[in-house]
PDB file of all heavy atoms in Angstrom:
ATOM      1  N   SER N  57     -49.357 -87.178  -5.493  1.00  0.00           N
ATOM      2  CA  SER N  57     -48.445 -87.558  -4.425  1.00  0.00           C
ATOM      3  C   SER N  57     -48.817 -88.934  -3.906  1.00  0.00           C
ATOM      4  O   SER N  57     -50.009 -89.277  -3.836  1.00  0.00           O
ATOM      5  CB  SER N  57     -48.519 -86.537  -3.278  1.00  0.00           C
ATOM      6  OG  SER N  57     -47.974 -87.047  -2.089  1.00  0.00           O
ATOM      7  N   PRO N  58     -47.823 -89.744  -3.505  1.00  0.00           N
ATOM      8  CA  PRO N  58     -48.134 -91.033  -2.909  1.00  0.00           C
ATOM      9  C   PRO N  58     -48.822 -90.909  -1.554  1.00  0.00           C
ATOM     10  O   PRO N  58     -49.255 -91.910  -0.989  1.00  0.00           O
ATOM     11  CB  PRO N  58     -46.754 -91.703  -2.772  1.00  0.00           C
ATOM     12  CG  PRO N  58     -45.769 -90.584  -2.787  1.00  0.00           C
ATOM     13  CD  PRO N  58     -46.365 -89.542  -3.668  1.00  0.00           C
ATOM     14  N   MET N  59     -48.942 -89.672  -1.058  1.00  0.00           N
ATOM     15  CA  MET N  59     -49.631 -89.442   0.217  1.00  0.00           C
ATOM     16  C   MET N  59     -51.149 -89.414   0.034  1.00  0.00           C
ATOM     17  O   MET N  59     -51.882 -89.023   0.936  1.00  0.00           O
ATOM     18  CB  MET N  59     -49.170 -88.118   0.826  1.00  0.00           C
ATOM     19  CG  MET N  59     -47.672 -87.971   0.929  1.00  0.00           C
ATOM     20  SD  MET N  59     -46.883 -89.236   1.947  1.00  0.00           S
ATOM     21  CE  MET N  59     -47.370 -88.678   3.564  1.00  0.00           C
ATOM     22  N   GLY N  60     -51.638 -89.818  -1.146  1.00  0.00           N
ATOM     23  CA  GLY N  60     -53.073 -89.908  -1.372  1.00  0.00           C
ATOM     24  C   GLY N  60     -53.653 -88.819  -2.253  1.00  0.00           C
ATOM     25  O   GLY N  60     -54.858 -88.781  -2.480  1.00  0.00           O
ATOM     26  N   VAL N  61     -52.809 -87.924  -2.755  1.00  0.00           N
ATOM     27  CA  VAL N  61     -53.286 -86.850  -3.630  1.00  0.00           C
ATOM     28  C   VAL N  61     -53.173 -87.307  -5.083  1.00  0.00           C
ATOM     29  O   VAL N  61     -52.085 -87.632  -5.564  1.00  0.00           O
ATOM     30  CB  VAL N  61     -52.483 -85.552  -3.417  1.00  0.00           C
ATOM     31  CG1 VAL N  61     -52.982 -84.464  -4.362  1.00  0.00           C
ATOM     32  CG2 VAL N  61     -52.583 -85.102  -1.971  1.00  0.00           C
ATOM     33  N   LYS N  62     -54.307 -87.330  -5.775  1.00  0.00           N
ATOM     34  CA  LYS N  62     -54.355 -87.745  -7.182  1.00  0.00           C
ATOM     35  C   LYS N  62     -55.182 -86.764  -8.001  1.00  0.00           C
ATOM     36  O   LYS N  62     -55.839 -87.138  -8.969  1.00  0.00           O
ATOM     37  CB  LYS N  62     -54.942 -89.153  -7.303  1.00  0.00           C
ATOM     38  CG  LYS N  62     -54.163 -90.214  -6.534  1.00  0.00           C
ATOM     39  CD  LYS N  62     -54.847 -91.563  -6.617  1.00  0.00           C
ATOM     40  CE  LYS N  62     -54.107 -92.614  -5.803  1.00  0.00           C
ATOM     41  NZ  LYS N  62     -54.792 -93.930  -5.847  1.00  0.00           N
ATOM     42  N   ALA N  63     -55.134 -85.493  -7.617  1.00  0.00           N
ATOM     43  CA  ALA N  63     -56.007 -84.487  -8.224  1.00  0.00           C
ATOM     44  C   ALA N  63     -55.582 -84.095  -9.631  1.00  0.00           C
ATOM     45  O   ALA N  63     -56.380 -83.554 -10.397  1.00  0.00           O
ATOM     46  CB  ALA N  63     -56.069 -83.249  -7.333  1.00  0.00           C
ATOM     47  N   GLY N  64     -54.314 -84.331  -9.988  1.00  0.00           N
ATOM     48  CA  GLY N  64     -53.849 -83.954 -11.327  1.00  0.00           C
ATOM     49  C   GLY N  64     -53.883 -82.457 -11.567  1.00  0.00           C
ATOM     50  O   GLY N  64     -53.988 -82.012 -12.715  1.00  0.00           O
ATOM     51  N   THR N  65     -53.754 -81.663 -10.519  1.00  0.00           N
ATOM     52  CA  THR N  65     -53.951 -80.212 -10.625  1.00  0.00           C
ATOM     53  C   THR N  65     -53.002 -79.551 -11.613  1.00  0.00           C
ATOM     54  O   THR N  65     -53.432 -78.707 -12.415  1.00  0.00           O
ATOM     55  CB  THR N  65     -53.787 -79.570  -9.231  1.00  0.00           C
ATOM     56  OG1 THR N  65     -54.833 -80.041  -8.375  1.00  0.00           O
ATOM     57  CG2 THR N  65     -53.853 -78.057  -9.308  1.00  0.00           C
ATOM     58  N   TYR N  66     -51.732 -79.917 -11.609  1.00  0.00           N
ATOM     59  CA  TYR N  66     -50.776 -79.231 -12.473  1.00  0.00           C
ATOM     60  C   TYR N  66     -50.938 -79.656 -13.934  1.00  0.00           C
ATOM     61  O   TYR N  66     -50.777 -78.835 -14.841  1.00  0.00           O
ATOM     62  CB  TYR N  66     -49.337 -79.485 -12.006  1.00  0.00           C
ATOM     63  CG  TYR N  66     -49.110 -79.152 -10.548  1.00  0.00           C
ATOM     64  CD1 TYR N  66     -48.161 -79.820  -9.795  1.00  0.00           C
ATOM     65  CD2 TYR N  66     -49.885 -78.192  -9.896  1.00  0.00           C
ATOM     66  CE1 TYR N  66     -47.971 -79.532  -8.451  1.00  0.00           C
ATOM     67  CE2 TYR N  66     -49.703 -77.902  -8.553  1.00  0.00           C
ATOM     68  CZ  TYR N  66     -48.746 -78.579  -7.837  1.00  0.00           C
ATOM     69  OH  TYR N  66     -48.561 -78.295  -6.510  1.00  0.00           O
ATOM     70  N   ARG N  67     -51.285 -80.909 -14.151  1.00  0.00           N
ATOM     71  CA  ARG N  67     -51.568 -81.345 -15.523  1.00  0.00           C
ATOM     72  C   ARG N  67     -52.787 -80.610 -16.063  1.00  0.00           C
ATOM     73  O   ARG N  67     -52.772 -80.121 -17.211  1.00  0.00           O
ATOM     74  CB  ARG N  67     -51.800 -82.855 -15.569  1.00  0.00           C
ATOM     75  CG  ARG N  67     -52.247 -83.372 -16.947  1.00  0.00           C
ATOM     76  CD  ARG N  67     -52.567 -84.856 -16.914  1.00  0.00           C
ATOM     77  NE  ARG N  67     -53.573 -85.208 -15.933  1.00  0.00           N
ATOM     78  CZ  ARG N  67     -54.888 -85.062 -16.107  1.00  0.00           C
ATOM     79  NH1 ARG N  67     -55.355 -84.517 -17.236  1.00  0.00           N
ATOM     80  NH2 ARG N  67     -55.742 -85.429 -15.174  1.00  0.00           N
ATOM     81  N   LEU N  68     -53.825 -80.505 -15.254  1.00  0.00           N
ATOM     82  CA  LEU N  68     -55.037 -79.810 -15.688  1.00  0.00           C
ATOM     83  C   LEU N  68     -54.765 -78.323 -15.924  1.00  0.00           C
ATOM     84  O   LEU N  68     -55.294 -77.736 -16.882  1.00  0.00           O
ATOM     85  CB  LEU N  68     -56.140 -79.984 -14.637  1.00  0.00           C
ATOM     86  CG  LEU N  68     -56.673 -81.408 -14.459  1.00  0.00           C
ATOM     87  CD1 LEU N  68     -57.549 -81.496 -13.210  1.00  0.00           C
ATOM     88  CD2 LEU N  68     -57.448 -81.853 -15.694  1.00  0.00           C
ATOM     89  N   LEU N  69     -53.946 -77.718 -15.071  1.00  0.00           N
ATOM     90  CA  LEU N  69     -53.609 -76.308 -15.257  1.00  0.00           C
ATOM     91  C   LEU N  69     -52.814 -76.117 -16.544  1.00  0.00           C
ATOM     92  O   LEU N  69     -53.073 -75.169 -17.305  1.00  0.00           O
ATOM     93  CB  LEU N  69     -52.809 -75.803 -14.051  1.00  0.00           C
ATOM     94  CG  LEU N  69     -52.354 -74.351 -14.090  1.00  0.00           C
ATOM     95  CD1 LEU N  69     -53.551 -73.396 -14.201  1.00  0.00           C
ATOM     96  CD2 LEU N  69     -51.525 -74.013 -12.848  1.00  0.00           C
TER      97      LEU N  69
END
Side-chain angles (χ1 to χ4, degrees):
S57 163
M59 308 300 286
V61 179
K62 301 176 182 178
T65 295
Y66 307 151
R67 174 184 56 80
L68 293 169
L69 179 60

